[in-house]
Amino acid sequence: MSETGKVLFIGVGRMGNPMARRLLAAGLSLAVCDLSEQALEPFRRQGLSVARFPAELAGEAVITMLPTDAEVREAVLGERGALSGPHRRAVLIDMSSSAPGPTRQLGQELARAGVAMLDAPVSGGVSRAQTGELTTMVGGSGEVFERWRPLLAHMCATIRQVGALGAGDAMKALNNYLSAAAFWASCEALVIGARAGLDPAVMVDVWKTGTARSHALEVKIPRAVLPRTFDYGFSLGLMAKDLGIAARLARSCDVPAPLLAATEGHLLHARDALGPQADLTSLITLIERWAGFELPAGACASDKEEK
Ligand code: NAD
């Protein structure tokens, strides 16, 4: 057993699967939990302890990578949650993009049970989860952060403590506001430009070396929009959830945020029109539908991040 002890990883979906694999590759002892048998199957085949409910699995460090704080709460405090079984837990590290309020509430309840908590949401997407190069923004006490930082380092190349419990979640929601607004604006600009006779691949190449530069132009659009694969690996439903967290944060701080409100509204519309499981990058098809025009297929600019 490593000095980290056994890790219980809950939620091995698009992000959790490659993150758990990084821990395995580092030689850590791992148990894996997911409600989906399909998600568990590759870990079962490797001989790991797996289960649909956390109570059955050992692990003093519990990592959650679940859709929202509601699932995190259920997985930890629910009837068959991590705290209900016979196993000792030292810490919960919630790496999901949760909301700050529910995270602080859960942290207080866990403290009463003698379990520490960090919120450590990540940015970087599936490709950086695979290479262990995620960025994490961590909320919690300095002591707990330092104790568990080596565990985070197996999954994340950039690790920043950004404040008390809940601060990581606030930082992440605002990160995704910026990311979603840039992505939506880039898709609109692409459709307008193509309609005006500009070449999509050339637009992307020019903008990403100019002041319009963004992750949307450098990675998402070359990788999943121009080739029309729409397989970036992040769902519209989860991005709409993140915009909701950011909008509630703005309201709770009495900060008027009209662009955030508009971006959230557009994301909710896209989620309802295309379905919550549709890939974020497919939202350009909605803009194309409104324009009655589709980007020419096969246009593909270089993808700087591709290795
Ligand atoms: P996903 O839907 O692919 O995976 C979620 C997994 O959780 C699924 O396998 C599901 O079966 C499982 N699950 C749901 N409820 C459960 C429960 N109660 N108990 C056990 N397992 C349960 O989602 P994802 O894209 O991996 O995202 C996970 C989190 O990471 C979200 O909060 C998301 O916002 C955030 N995030 C995603 C990305 C991305 O690019 N996909 C990037 C950064 C952050």
Side-chain angles (χ1 to χ4, degrees):
M1 199 131 90
S2 78
E3 67 183 70
T4 304
K6 189 159 187 147
V7 177
L8 167 55
F9 202 109
I10 309 177
V12 281
R14 291 180 190 89
M15 290 293 286
N17 176 308
M19 289 164 70
R21 294 202 168 284
R22 295 295 307 177
L23 299 182
L24 282 176
L28 269 62
S29 168
L30 205 68
V32 174
C33 170
D34 198 295
L35 278 182
S36 153
E37 284 293 344
Q38 200 186 340
L40 288 177
E41 192 46 37
F43 296 97
R44 180 181 281 120
R45 264 191 271 118
Q46 266 183 277
L48 267 67
S49 305
V50 301
R52 293 185 63 235
F53 298 100
E56 298 158 34
L57 296 165
E60 66 158 340
V62 178
I63 295 179
T64 40
M65 194 55 179
L66 295 165
T68 75
D69 39 74
E71 288 86 8
V72 174
R73 189 177 175 80
E74 177 64 24
V76 177
L77 297 180
E79 210 181 316
R80 297 169 79 177
L83 260 61
S84 66
H87 305 286
R88 196 188 91 78
R89 315 296 185 191
V91 70
L92 168 67
I93 306 177
D94 179 25
M95 302 188 77
S96 331
S97 306
S98 298
T103 288
R104 283 192 292 267
Q105 172 67 36
L106 181 58
Q108 284 168 12
E109 290 171 63
L110 288 181
R112 286 198 284 276
V115 179
M117 180 173 178
L118 296 172
D119 53 318
V122 297
S123 183
V126 173
S127 62
R128 284 182 184 266
Q130 286 164 342
T131 58
E133 293 176 299
L134 291 166
T135 290
T136 183
M137 42 221 106
V138 187
S141 88
E143 198 185 324
V144 178
F145 171 62
E146 289 306 334
R147 165 71 184 88
W148 296 102
R149 184 191 186 116
L151 179 56
L152 294 171
H154 294 303
M155 299 170 281
C156 308
T158 305
I159 303 173
R160 283 286 297 271
Q161 195 197 0
V162 296
L165 194 65
D169 288 341
M171 185 76 84
K172 170 65 186 175
L174 294 172
N175 177 87
N176 277 21
Y177 162 41
L178 295 172
S179 171
F183 183 71
W184 192 290
S186 304
C187 288
E188 274 185 12
L190 267 180
V191 175
I192 298 166
R195 194 73 163 144
L198 298 174
D199 183 307
V202 177
M203 281 188 266
V204 172
D205 276 342
V206 169
W207 292 336
K208 77 182 185 190
T209 57
T211 54
R213 188 174 175 190
S214 67
H215 186 267
L217 290 166
E218 289 186 57
V219 179
K220 289 190 189 84
I221 289 173
R223 189 175 293 176
V225 173
L226 296 186
R228 301 191 79 76
T229 50
F230 306 125
D231 59 352
Y232 175 69
F234 185 36
S235 72
L236 268 170
L238 289 179
M239 184 57 111
K241 172 261 303 180
D242 292 338
L243 273 284
I245 297 170
R248 286 197 297 282
L249 183 66
R251 281 194 293 277
S252 73
C253 301
D254 286 329
V255 177
L259 186 59
L260 170 52
T263 311
E264 184 196 10
H266 295 332
L267 260 293
L268 287 170
H269 179 80
R271 179 199 65 184
D272 294 343
L274 301 172
Q277 286 303 328
D279 197 82
L280 169 73
T281 55
S282 68
L283 68 76
I284 195 167
T285 61
L286 199 62
I287 299 169
E288 290 175 331
R289 210 183 294 165
W290 294 337
F293 170 82
E294 204 172 278
L295 288 189
C300 192
S302 62
D303 175 349
K304 274 175 39 180
E305 212 194 48
E306 208 80 72
K307 297 216 169 79

